[in-house]
Amino acid sequence: MGRNPVTWLGSPTFPDAARRSLGDTQLRGNLRKATTTIRGKRESAVAELDDWEQLRRAGEAVKDDVLANLDTYLERLESAVTERGGVVHWARDAEEANRIVLDLVKQENADEVVKVKSMATAEIGLNEALADGGVNAIETDLAEVIVQLGDDRPSHILVPAIHRNRAEIKEIFAQMPEPPDSDDPRALAEAARTYLRRKFLSAKVAISGANFGVADTGSIVVVESEGNGRMCLTLPETLITVMGVEKVLPRWQDLEVFLQLLPRSSTAERMNPYTSIWSGVTPGDGPQKFHLVLLDNGRTSTLADEVGRQALRCIRCSACLNVCPVYERTGGQAYGSVYPGPIGAILAPQLAGDLHDEQAASLPYASSLCGACYEVCPVRINIPEVLTHLRAEVVEAKGKRTPEAMAMSAAAWVFGSRRRYEAAQKAGSLTRLLARGGNLSSLPWPGSKWTDTRDAPVVPKESLRSWWRRNRG
Amino acid sequence: MASARDEILGRIRAVDRPVSPQVPRDYQRQRHADDPVALLAERIADYQATVHRAATRELPYRIAERLDGRGTIVAPPDVPGEWRVPGVSWLSDDPPLGVSDLEEAAGVLSGCAVAIAETGTIVLDAGRAQGRRVLTLVPDYHLCVVHADQIVVSVPEAIERLDPAGPLTFISGPSATSDIELDRVEGVHGPRTLEVLLVH
């Protein structure tokens, strides 16, 4: 079994990558503008529904039901899709999924495929695997086109080219046969339309992901904006859909919850322009061959973690990215994964499944634990809780002798008794004697591990506890 | 060696999984609107689509008005006879049209299955007067006829009405993208002009 490509090979750890991107003022400007716009819009889209909290709780419960009965629902989905003329495949990991897809494309004698934007296929590195097998994969989502033509990496779940502004996009599109004549977004969209039109009309095979798969009915759902999805899902003779196993929904009725939660959380619209739903093959309408590849790639091992498995509720809306102060400053590429931002910080290391990997292990620290991500999450994933849980696992994976592990176990010992806690607070205020200008610049070992690279804030003169006792006690 | 299927299902079954929760359905499955037709019109217009109203008896006249001078218009084989107004160059999908025919056509006329007022969405289910999915996708102009009794207010009401067996397409305004600086602009791959005729 190969390395899981969910994190990019050779990426620096998050602090190193973040330091580099913080120096890029263009990037920070582009991100601030985009995330500020979308934050405001999301708030008003959500405020329109006075049952938003009830919808979130329903979404959470449906997804927890899925995780509790995943085997049952997957088997049900498999038989519903098969009954309606589709073929279901199972893939344990990225390598297996890529091989299945490549074989299916070869069976159709195609050397080019059109693709609908899909996180699952980006996660497994499908485009690279197809290229190695002699198949050219053409991304058709506008932002994916920007990334692909710019020979770039994605930086956002919904808008992979969010780090690019209109002027940069115009430059990237200059290599098209009919380049745009201005950087007006309309002109850029028109250029993409012209560029992809022939590809859509001539493609024999399309590859998509899935937002949802309904177990009862075998319905696969793809939510999109541009119509590139409809083109791919309708015109080619063969359609291959790669779907993470956790995307299954039990009942048709459950869509009434998610088709409200997803558009308002992601693009901040009442509804996205296009949603396509199909079940197997419809004679005379759309692809006459349909393959569904059910992908594990670290999901079942994530399911085994009692705290961490809530990350599998994620519907990839990216609301948590748009509100995250860390993401807004570092950008998505610093996370070294197709899943950036708060959800990426808990999902990527769990899917990768190797906390000995320094880069993956640095991701749970890519957060100030401010909790904004949890507040906006449409399926109520408690991201701060999973972050701290994973930090503890990272520390454990590092072994017991590191200064950090010793500090963590010392902290646990201190937090374990009120008397010890109060004594430690008093001792802490003594560190004020070592401070200059309000910061501690050198602490004795093991604290020196921290202060070698940054200052530690000084512990206040008086703890809240003793202040409270003195004033209110 | 175990198959991938058996191994994945085995991994799931080996996990000590939580008890399945009861799904709370206390959100609003139905919502009230004083005038659902007006709400739908307003919400569709928010997406930069054009909405026209028509009384049942004047529908053919309104269709002719919209299609006048546009060129060849594609029609699903089962559109009502009175929709095929004279003076328009009609192209029927019977026998099934090729993609290049659709590419050359100026537009398409269709009905719909359900419309959702609150979100400004029309839903096609490949049923009567809607035809194959490709018909309402490739031509650059789409005129869609919506009858008042097809309108529901909320998303849950629409899901309940729809038959999951057929291929479904939810359409909320013309093709658009938010990919450039997260700002919505209309007009990418799907029909760039969407007009809706509300019949009441």
Side-chain angles (χ1 to χ4, degrees):
Chain A
M1 202 175 77
R3 179 188 175 280
N4 191 331
V6 63
T7 54
W8 302 324
L9 186 65
S11 294
T13 60
F14 183 79
D16 286 342
R19 198 170 299 124
R20 203 172 310 162
S21 54
L22 283 173
D24 186 341
T25 49
Q26 175 76 70
L27 173 78
R28 291 182 63 180
N30 293 354
L31 276 172
R32 192 170 48 242
K33 181 165 187 286
T35 54
T36 307
T37 308
I38 195 78
R39 276 200 298 268
K41 282 194 200 163
R42 192 207 72 96
E43 250 171 62
S44 32
V46 163
E48 265 187 18
L49 298 185
D50 50 20
D51 58 346
W52 184 252
E53 278 314 305
Q54 285 91 326
L55 285 167
R56 284 179 81 208
R57 286 188 188 274
E60 173 188 22
V62 169
K63 285 289 187 174
D64 279 347
D65 175 27
V66 167
L67 298 183
N69 301 290
L70 190 54
D71 52 341
T72 310
Y73 295 139
L74 286 174
E75 285 185 310
R76 209 172 280 172
L77 176 70
E78 179 188 43
S79 58
V81 169
T82 310
E83 235 167 71
R84 291 166 183 274
V87 182
V88 177
H89 310 256
W90 300 70
R92 281 166 278 220
D93 54 28
E95 213 176 291
E96 190 166 29
N98 289 335
R99 201 184 58 240
I100 292 169
V101 174
L102 180 62
D103 286 349
L104 290 170
V105 174
K106 294 255 158 150
Q107 266 172 39
E108 301 303 319
N109 296 314
D111 56 9
E112 196 166 89
V113 297
V114 285
K115 278 191 73 204
V116 193
K117 177 175 158 19
S118 129
M119 292 309 297
T121 63
E123 169 193 321
I124 61 178
L126 177 64
N127 291 5
E128 294 76 11
L130 289 175
D132 289 345
V135 173
N136 186 21
I138 298 163
E139 292 291 352
T140 64
D141 168 80
L142 182 52
E144 294 280 10
V145 172
I146 298 167
V147 170
Q148 198 171 38
L149 291 181
D151 199 18
D152 199 355
R153 273 180 159 160
S155 68
H156 191 275
I157 289 174
L158 178 74
V159 191
I162 195 174
H163 56 291
R164 299 289 194 187
N165 65 24
R166 58 186 74 189
E168 294 170 281
I169 296 168
K170 177 177 183 265
E171 240 168 76
I172 292 166
F173 281 8
Q175 61 186 289
M176 288 176 170
E178 291 171 62
D181 50 15
S182 90
D183 67 1
D184 174 37
R186 268 163 225 286
L188 298 173
E190 169 77 36
R193 179 184 169 101
T194 312
Y195 169 68
L196 289 170
R197 198 78 182 168
R198 288 291 129 209
K199 304 280 185 200
F200 285 133
L201 301 183
S202 62
K204 284 161 68 180
V205 179
I207 297 173
S208 85
N211 291 98
F212 311 103
V214 182
D216 271 359
T217 60
S219 308
I220 307 296
V221 183
V222 167
V223 170
E224 53 131 355
S225 295
E226 297 165 19
N228 62 311
R230 291 177 70 192
M231 290 279 179
C232 292
L233 302 171
T234 311
L235 290 172
E237 292 157 25
T238 301
L239 171 61
I240 305 166
T241 297
V242 181
M243 176 180 129
V245 288
E246 84 286 16
K247 296 280 169 193
V248 67
L249 292 179
R251 298 155 290 265
W252 174 251
Q253 190 198 351
D254 297 325
L255 286 178
E256 71 186 26
V257 176
F258 292 98
L259 290 182
Q260 296 193 75
L261 288 174
L262 181 54
R264 289 178 197 260
S265 299
S266 59
T267 48
E269 293 167 296
R270 295 188 181 111
M271 192 64 92
N272 50 290
Y274 299 131
T275 295
S276 294
I277 305 179
W278 73 96
S279 184
V281 169
T282 310
D285 186 347
Q288 296 302 294
K289 292 181 195 172
F290 173 56
H291 296 273
L292 178 64
V293 182
L294 296 172
L295 174 73
D296 182 343
N297 201 39
R299 285 159 177 77
T300 50
S301 58
T302 305
L303 182 66
D305 186 316
E306 249 177 77
V307 179
R309 64 179 161 221
Q310 56 185 306
L312 296 175
R313 294 206 293 257
C314 176
I315 55 173
R316 313 284 190 260
C317 73
S318 68
C320 63
L321 279 63
N322 300 333
V323 298
C324 178
V326 175
Y327 174 86
E328 184 180 315
R329 285 160 182 82
T330 65
Q333 292 176 350
Y335 295 77
S337 165
V338 291
Y339 301 113
I343 186 64
I346 62 170
L347 191 59
Q350 293 199 92
L351 292 180
D354 180 12
L355 291 180
H356 295 283
D357 176 299
E358 231 191 334
Q359 194 271 335
S362 74
L363 292 174
Y365 293 87
S367 166
S368 64
L369 302 180
C370 77
C373 47
Y374 180 28
E375 272 170 48
V376 297
C377 178
V379 285
R380 295 174 40 86
I381 301 170
N382 189 337
I383 295 178
E385 181 191 25
V386 182
L387 284 167
T388 46
H389 167 73
L390 291 177
R391 287 178 189 186
E393 289 195 345
V394 167
V395 169
E396 202 171 312
K398 273 191 196 162
K400 306 254 184 266
R401 307 293 317 158
T402 62
E404 205 180 354
M406 287 162 69
M408 287 293 246
S409 58
W413 181 75
V414 169
F415 281 118
S417 129
R418 186 161 125 186
R419 190 178 48 78
R420 287 199 291 263
Y421 179 56
E422 287 184 8
Q425 278 186 321
K426 263 192 209 133
S429 62
L430 292 177
T431 59
R432 293 179 63 82
L433 300 172
L434 299 169
R436 263 190 300 269
N439 278 320
L440 284 166
S441 47
S442 68
L443 278 174
W445 193 90
S448 60
K449 279 284 188 191
W450 177 272
T451 52
D452 279 352
T453 49
R454 74 219 91 179
D455 289 349
V458 168
V459 180
K461 229 181 339 203
E462 192 174 24
S463 71
L464 175 68
R465 285 181 79 87
S466 70
W467 179 88
W468 186 267
R469 194 170 296 150
R470 191 161 53 79
N471 288 280
R472 306 285 157 89
Chain B
M1 204 180 83
S3 71
R5 180 185 189 279
D6 293 346
E7 201 176 316
I8 293 170
L9 290 173
R11 287 175 190 172
I12 295 167
R13 287 172 187 143
V15 168
D16 187 13
R17 278 169 292 161
V19 184
S20 185
Q22 194 69 37
V23 177
R25 304 270 178 194
D26 55 351
Y27 50 87
Q28 295 163 25
R29 301 210 53 240
Q30 280 170 351
R31 268 195 271 266
H32 172 78
D34 288 337
D35 184 351
V37 181
L39 182 63
L40 177 67
E42 176 205 313
R43 296 285 155 97
I44 292 177
D46 275 355
Y47 296 128
Q48 312 300 318
T50 320
V51 183
H52 306 272
R53 299 241 206 160
T56 309
R57 61 176 191 289
E58 59 175 11
L59 179 60
Y61 170 74
R62 292 286 174 205
I63 290 175
E65 197 179 57
R66 300 317 326 148
L67 298 181
D68 181 41
R70 281 197 182 269
T72 308
I73 299 295
V74 174
D78 57 350
V79 294
E82 70 268 22
W83 291 15
R84 294 192 191 223
V85 293
V88 171
S89 158
W90 292 104
L91 190 60
S92 178
D93 188 41
D94 182 23
L97 298 164
V99 172
S100 52
D101 301 323
L102 295 171
E103 178 78 343
E104 278 162 31
V108 57
L109 170 68
S110 84
C112 74
V114 173
I116 311 169
E118 190 175 73
T119 60
T121 304
I122 50 183
V123 188
L124 310 184
D125 70 354
R128 184 162 159 76
Q130 297 157 65
R132 301 181 294 143
R133 282 173 285 175
V134 71
L135 302 187
T136 46
L137 174 62
V138 175
D140 204 15
Y141 167 87
H142 181 190
L143 178 61
C144 185
V145 177
V146 179
H147 288 278
D149 61 1
Q150 294 175 316
I151 301 173
V152 297
V153 176
S154 72
V155 173
E157 290 163 83
I159 293 296
E160 195 173 325
R161 271 207 201 186
L162 289 164
D163 178 1
L168 302 174
T169 308
F170 288 56
I171 298 173
S172 306
S175 154
T177 180
S178 301
D179 281 356
I180 301 160
E181 300 172 6
L182 271 175
D183 214 1
R184 178 163 166 149
V185 292
E186 280 74 27
V188 200
H189 306 294
R192 286 181 288 189
T193 308
L194 173 68
E195 291 199 299
V196 178
L197 262 176
L198 291 181
V199 187
H200 56 98

